[in-house]
Amino acid sequence: MTRTTFSAAYKLWTELLKGSKSPLTVKKYAGYLKPLVERLGDFELTELAEKEGYITGFALSNYSTNSARRNFWNAWNSFRRFAAKTFKVGLPELPDEFVGRSEKKEPKPLKESHFKALLEAVKELPDTESRESGKERNVSLKLAFYLMAFGGLRLGEALQVRPQDVQFKKTEDGQEYAEVLVRGKGRKERRVPIFYPEVVAYLKEHAEELPPALTHQAVEKRLKNLYRKAVVGIGEQPERFYPHRLRDTYLTRLADRGVDIRVLQELAGHASIDMTRRYVGVSQERILKEVQRAF
């Protein structure tokens, strides 16, 4: 068994990740473990193996949302596998319940009124912040939002879209659309069309500013604040918001309009069609319309 500190092992792990993970994944994994390294970096890995309670408590107190806890869970498990293979040290395993994986996760689309309010709030953001200012840029936030809300991209996918990944085309009847090359899970690629005219125009104007110059956490924080203010502004009660609900809203909307499940699977980038089936048949309104149309 090799004796080494958590800090030294962390640095080696992040370097090795670069050979197998995308730059965004490397940055995300390293970022979620960094606060723990700052606390326990001087401990040897063998000592870290005895701190399951502390590690779980640290993560629960520092990451309050399921999304953040899932990211920490993924990063920690990656580091655990690395430590076991490289240093022959068994680090504590966090239970699936830590990220709520004991229950089947169902899509949670936004209410139509909430989505419209958030969309208007995003549109109203001025495109005036400069890259040199060091502030979170509104253009970057808008680009990430539009890709998620009107292309169904995951947040991680939206933050990887480059200028050359967006092409502008026209249908046979002359309608212009943006075709976005998406790099999904497992480095699988898919092409997603975006038709919403205002979004197509915005992408065309700002495509050269891709990828969005914001972190995963920054996008989530800003959209949460915008959502809350927008919904309160229309006199309604905000729900729990996280960026993936934009993707849920997009896919549920297509399912409710009768889009074929195989098409949905391709647009979503799901490896299994069982994942896609969660979005089909969730609307009582659609059930009523289909039965009414049949008779």
Side-chain angles (χ1 to χ4, degrees):
M1 182 183 296
T2 304
R3 297 174 66 88
T4 190
T5 64
F6 183 21
S7 179
Y10 168 82
K11 290 178 181 178
L12 179 58
W13 169 69
T14 54
E15 287 301 315
L16 292 177
L17 278 180
K18 295 176 183 178
S20 60
K21 301 291 185 181
S22 69
L24 182 67
T25 299
V26 174
K27 183 177 181 180
K28 182 165 66 174
Y29 277 19
Y32 273 94
L33 279 197
K34 186 177 180 180
L36 185 62
V37 175
E38 291 174 346
R39 290 285 188 90
L40 303 177
D42 292 335
F43 282 82
E44 292 186 3
L45 290 182
T46 51
E47 296 175 302
L48 202 64
E50 306 298 323
K51 291 190 173 294
E52 178 180 355
Y54 181 89
I55 294 169
T56 301
F58 175 88
L60 288 172
S61 61
N62 281 270
Y63 303 113
S64 59
T65 67
N66 284 341
S67 174
R69 289 176 182 175
R70 190 176 301 112
N71 285 328
F72 178 86
W73 190 88
N74 289 332
W76 176 250
N77 278 340
S78 173
F79 182 79
R80 282 182 58 249
R81 291 190 294 269
F82 160 78
K85 182 178 180 180
T86 307
F87 301 105
K88 310 302 180 185
V89 176
L91 296 178
E93 180 178 0
L94 299 178
D96 286 353
E97 288 77 8
F98 176 77
V99 289
R101 293 195 176 187
S102 59
E103 300 180 1
K104 183 179 179 182
K105 184 179 179 181
E106 294 296 331
K108 294 183 179 179
L110 295 173
K111 293 180 180 179
E112 185 174 357
S113 59
H114 290 196
F115 177 78
K116 288 182 177 179
L118 177 58
L119 175 60
E120 290 305 312
V122 171
K123 286 181 181 180
E124 292 173 1
L125 292 174
D127 300 337
T128 55
E129 294 180 289
S130 65
R131 189 179 296 270
E132 293 75 14
S133 69
K135 297 179 179 178
E136 298 166 344
R137 302 182 67 232
N138 288 340
V139 171
S140 289
L141 186 68
K142 287 184 176 182
L143 288 170
F145 173 84
Y146 290 147
L147 289 169
M148 290 186 288
F150 294 95
L153 277 67
R154 302 175 179 92
L155 176 52
E157 295 171 342
L159 296 179
Q160 293 184 74
V161 176
R162 302 168 301 181
Q164 61 267 35
D165 296 331
V166 183
Q167 297 183 16
F168 299 94
K169 301 181 177 181
K170 289 187 177 181
T171 61
E172 291 183 358
D173 60 1
Q175 183 176 0
E176 187 174 32
Y177 67 96
E179 184 181 81
V180 182
L181 175 63
V182 183
R183 293 170 182 80
K185 292 183 177 180
R187 298 194 174 186
K188 293 181 180 179
E189 296 184 350
R190 66 185 189 276
R191 296 183 183 276
V192 174
I194 295 178
F195 280 93
Y196 193 71
E198 287 185 62
V199 173
V200 174
Y202 198 85
L203 287 173
K204 180 175 285 189
E205 182 179 357
H206 296 283
E208 291 303 316
E209 298 183 65
L210 290 166
L214 291 172
T215 64
H216 188 287
Q217 293 91 336
V219 172
E220 183 166 359
K221 181 179 179 180
R222 292 199 67 191
L223 285 180
K224 277 184 178 180
N225 290 335
L226 280 173
Y227 166 79
R228 186 181 65 254
K229 292 178 182 178
V231 172
V232 170
I234 60 172
E236 296 188 18
Q237 181 67 33
E239 299 176 342
R240 180 169 171 266
F241 177 86
Y242 44 89
H244 202 81
R245 292 194 68 178
L246 297 173
R247 173 176 163 87
D248 286 348
T249 302
Y250 168 84
L251 292 172
T252 300
R253 182 174 184 176
L254 292 179
D256 286 349
R257 281 158 177 74
V259 173
D260 184 86
I261 192 170
R262 294 291 181 182
V263 175
L264 276 179
Q265 181 185 12
E266 180 65 25
L267 289 171
H270 288 153
S272 169
I273 200 167
D274 289 336
M275 292 289 293
T276 314
R277 285 197 180 98
R278 299 176 306 152
Y279 294 92
V280 179
V282 298
S283 170
Q284 183 64 29
E285 181 182 357
R286 183 184 173 192
I287 293 175
L288 293 175
K289 286 183 178 179
E290 291 295 326
V291 174
Q292 181 182 28
R293 186 170 62 179
F295 294 95

